[in-house]
Amino acid sequence: MYYWNDLTSVPNGFGPSVVTIGNFDGVHIGHQRVLQQLVAAAESHHAAAVVVSFEPHPAKVHRPDQAPELIMGLEDRIETLATMGIQALLMMHYTLELAANTPEEFVTKVFVNALNARAVVVGHDVRFGRDNSGDLGTMRDLGAKLGFEVIVIDDFGASPTEPTEADGDRRCSSTWVREALEDGDVATAARILGRPHRMRGEVVHGAARGRELGYPTANLSPASGGYIPADGIYAGWLVDEAGTRWPAAISVGSNPTFEGVSRHVEAHVIDRPQEEVSDFDLYGQTIIVEFTARLRGMVAYTGPEALIAQMHLDVERTREVLSTEQHLSR
């Protein structure tokens, strides 16, 4: 997939293309439906499927105190879009200057002049241009004037995988994913995303308490990408730089037993064959941590002995949960 971070990076003469626009944070099932239709439209037009997105999130510029925490880091968003068959991603740097473009100025500069769009895929609620003044009617008028087709998707949302009665008729959204993660409900987040929620970051040195207690952990850097779910203990997976996927018990929180303050994410790999876990050195590697199930909330124990006993139970429970997951995926 081509990746461009400004209009000047797009090669002269690129296209033709079929384009869609959005933040696509999380690339959840609703987003996937849009992208599938984008790719299908691009194939029928013998054109490239292109996504136009923004970094930072526009809310960071217009309402920095109300901007949502992003579900996934930029690297994961790029990787996930590539797996959907997107051939090019234009990640525009979002500024007040960019936001000041009228709808026609934006469409002309980006869709027509830079990307040579033959078609634009949007939803009924599309908004674009200065003060979000452009809507579906505007896009259709511009398509007729500038020579591109407007393909309207009836519903940007989609039902979660394996919907439950509690879901009602709610459609997949980034907001719903954040709500689930805020509650530690990584199972619901996975149903909306269509895959487990993940974080990606460098392994850094921590306080080494896990190693002292016999449960060494890989500590994610505070700069890691991805939404941090609610404090607690999770069953999940650690993927190292070699692409090996290890079962892991994951801790999110501040280590209240030791009067910790700052929140952090750390993963203890279990059941490694042939080698001792204590010899598993991931420092400096960029890893992925996937969250499968929340086992319990964070608790302050009376001392190390009680904590070690609970960690042993957490590892056993992690083993059970992941064993069941592997069995169901066969």
Side-chain angles (χ1 to χ4, degrees):
M1 183 180 74
Y2 295 110
Y3 173 69
W4 308 306
N5 54 19
D6 59 53
L7 289 177
T8 62
S9 300
V10 182
N12 290 332
F14 176 80
S17 70
V18 176
V19 183
T20 194
I21 184 171
N23 289 300
F24 295 100
D25 183 28
V27 196
H28 56 63
I29 289 176
H31 292 148
Q32 292 168 33
R33 185 171 180 269
V34 175
L35 297 171
Q36 288 162 357
Q37 294 193 43
L38 172 69
V39 171
E43 290 175 349
S44 68
H45 283 77
H46 304 288
V50 181
V51 169
V52 176
S53 195
F54 305 101
E55 179 71 21
H57 192 290
K60 284 276 189 182
V61 175
H62 295 291
R63 304 179 303 279
D65 57 333
Q66 301 175 33
E69 184 178 347
L70 296 182
I71 296 166
M72 60 174 20
L74 179 57
E75 186 174 353
D76 276 314
R77 194 167 11 149
I78 293 171
E79 181 180 293
T80 305
L81 288 172
T83 65
M84 294 293 300
I86 304 306
Q87 292 162 285
L89 169 62
L90 173 57
M91 185 66 71
M92 303 188 70
H93 181 56
Y94 194 86
T95 63
L96 291 175
E97 181 181 5
L98 177 63
N101 279 271
T102 66
E104 183 166 355
E105 288 171 338
F106 178 82
V107 167
T108 301
K109 290 177 185 177
V110 180
F111 294 172
V112 178
N113 293 346
L115 299 174
N116 190 20
R118 291 290 183 266
V120 176
V121 177
V122 294
H124 285 278
D125 58 352
V126 64
R127 308 294 300 196
F128 62 102
R130 183 187 301 158
D131 299 324
N132 275 338
S133 56
D135 58 13
L136 179 57
T138 311
M139 189 69 80
R140 282 176 164 154
D141 290 342
L142 291 172
K145 177 179 179 180
L146 299 173
F148 59 82
E149 177 187 359
V150 176
I151 301 172
V152 183
I153 297 175
D154 289 334
D155 184 358
F156 259 63
S159 298
T161 54
E162 301 180 5
T164 68
E165 186 175 338
D167 294 338
D169 59 357
R170 189 171 187 180
R171 312 301 277 171
C172 294
S173 68
S174 299
T175 298
W176 192 3
V177 175
R178 293 188 191 98
E179 290 174 358
L181 294 175
E182 183 68 23
D183 292 337
D185 188 357
V186 294
T188 290
R191 291 192 299 110
I192 304 166
L193 292 169
R195 64 187 179 281
H197 173 60
R198 59 164 50 179
M199 294 184 65
R200 182 194 298 260
E202 182 182 355
V203 177
V204 298
H205 290 274
R209 289 200 182 96
R211 188 172 298 276
E212 293 170 0
L213 297 173
Y215 292 91
T217 58
N219 296 268
L220 283 183
S221 163
S224 298
Y227 195 107
I228 302 176
D231 288 2
I233 305 300
Y234 298 82
W237 302 88
L238 182 154
V239 184
D240 62 24
E241 285 187 346
T244 306
R245 196 164 178 255
W246 304 98
I250 306 161
S251 172
V252 177
S254 57
N255 286 335
T257 301
F258 298 97
E259 299 182 351
V261 177
S262 61
R263 297 181 76 222
H264 56 274
V265 178
E266 52 187 317
H268 168 69
V269 172
I270 65 174
D271 297 339
R272 291 191 66 238
Q274 298 180 344
E275 298 178 76
E276 293 293 331
V277 173
S278 58
D279 296 331
F280 196 29
D281 185 1
L282 295 172
Y283 290 122
Q285 284 197 33
T286 296
I287 65 168
I288 294 169
V289 174
E290 294 182 351
F291 299 84
T292 296
R294 189 172 191 239
L295 305 182
R296 63 177 176 87
M298 192 60 70
V299 177
Y301 291 92
T302 55
E305 293 78 11
L307 177 58
I308 290 171
Q310 181 60 58
M311 292 170 76
H312 177 75
L313 295 176
D314 293 337
V315 167
E316 288 298 319
R317 180 62 180 140
T318 296
R319 188 175 290 116
E320 293 172 7
V321 169
L322 298 183
S323 175
T324 300
E325 180 196 42
Q326 287 181 312
H327 176 73
L328 292 176
S329 66
R330 291 195 181 106

